[in-house]
Amino acid sequence: MIDKRYFVVIRYMIADVDVGLLAGRCIKVLHGFLSSENNQIHNGIGVAFPKWTRLSLGNEIAFVSTERRGLEQLTEQPYFKMMVSDKIFAVSSIYNVPEGIPEVRFIRNQNIAKCFTGEKRRRLDRCRRRAIARGETFEPKNDFNQRDISLFHRIYMSSKSTNNRYLLHIQKEQTDLVRHDFNSYGFATNKQYQGSVPDFSHVTYFSP
């Protein structure tokens, strides 16, 4: 039996905004909420992008969970309330996920970062420092093979504790399985987390 699921949608109300940046702010709130000692969400909360296209993440972000109360608490976070008050966000009601909607995964693919020069340089620096600490000679190996990378979008993040900035590389794939295991950013991953969300791309349930 499939667990009953709920969802809420946030729409960015200002045109020409950086949707990767706003999505990052929303996911930062989710991450903090799920990492809180007071968090009692058992199955996690999944992130979806209803307006995802080949060109953009789109101007909406949705949160999906088997626990309605968790979505209520999430949308009551101060950042969301402030953005609604400033008419930058509109937040929908919380809906039941209807039956018959296809499933997708939004995957945080950390392997994508390894394909870019800056990340490869950082990895080499880490390996060099570890070799020196062990008293070994550092001999870098070219273990990177050029590969085709399917469509992805970037989400811009920053760490609250260190103020470091980093990217989440997100890909979308179809799936036939309904799963509730997400990482603390609300995504599936290449291996450990296989959480899925409804594909809202062909339907509109937003009603602020």
Side-chain angles (χ1 to χ4, degrees), residues 12-203:
Y12 318 140
M13 301 302 290
I14 298 178
D16 299 324
V17 295
D18 188 331
V19 295
L21 180 63
L22 285 183
R25 300 276 173 82
C26 294
I27 291 165
K28 184 176 181 179
V29 173
L30 172 67
H31 180 67
F33 175 71
L34 293 176
S35 302
S36 167
E37 294 180 356
N38 298 323
N39 173 38
Q40 298 183 3
I41 306 298
H42 301 293
N43 285 332
I45 295 176
V47 170
F49 298 100
K51 303 301 183 183
W52 171 289
T53 68
R54 293 189 60 83
L55 300 177
S56 170
L57 288 166
N59 69 335
E60 292 180 0
I61 185 171
F63 299 103
V64 182
S65 179
T66 59
E67 301 177 55
R68 183 187 181 98
R69 180 58 181 154
L71 296 181
E72 292 172 348
Q73 293 172 337
L74 176 63
T75 54
E76 287 295 313
Q77 297 300 300
Y79 175 74
F80 293 135
K81 297 189 73 157
M82 177 190 71
M83 295 296 270
V84 170
S85 176
D86 290 343
K87 302 188 185 305
I88 299 172
F89 285 176
V91 179
S92 76
S93 301
I94 295 174
Y95 298 104
N96 297 337
V97 172
E99 296 180 2
I101 296 181
E103 287 291 305
V104 294
R105 291 191 187 101
F106 287 97
I107 301 167
R108 182 194 181 189
N109 188 346
Q110 291 182 269
N111 291 329
I112 293 175
K114 300 175 184 177
C115 299
F116 298 101
T117 302
E119 179 61 25
K120 285 191 286 183
R121 184 172 58 250
R122 285 188 287 271
R123 291 173 66 208
L124 285 173
D125 288 342
R126 285 196 298 270
C127 292
R128 183 183 295 108
R129 289 195 299 270
R130 290 169 183 168
I132 292 172
R134 294 193 298 265
E136 301 173 355
T137 301
F138 176 63
E139 297 180 355
K141 296 179 180 180
N142 184 13
D143 59 354
F144 172 71
N145 295 320
Q146 190 68 31
R147 69 195 76 178
D148 292 329
I149 303 174
S150 58
L151 174 71
F152 68 90
H153 291 307
R154 294 183 178 95
I155 295 175
Y156 300 94
M157 301 291 297
S158 62
S159 170
K160 183 177 181 180
S161 57
T162 66
N163 288 323
N164 289 336
R165 297 181 180 182
Y166 57 100
L167 295 174
L168 303 182
H169 297 90
I170 307 300
Q171 294 177 301
K172 179 181 178 180
E173 72 172 21
Q174 304 293 321
T175 181
D176 294 326
L177 299 176
V178 176
R179 296 277 298 269
H180 306 307
D181 52 321
F182 305 97
N183 67 10
S184 60
Y185 297 99
F187 296 113
T189 59
N190 296 83
K191 293 181 179 180
Q192 183 176 0
Y193 298 98
Q194 297 296 306
S196 67
V197 292
D199 185 356
F200 297 118
S201 60
H202 300 296
V203 290

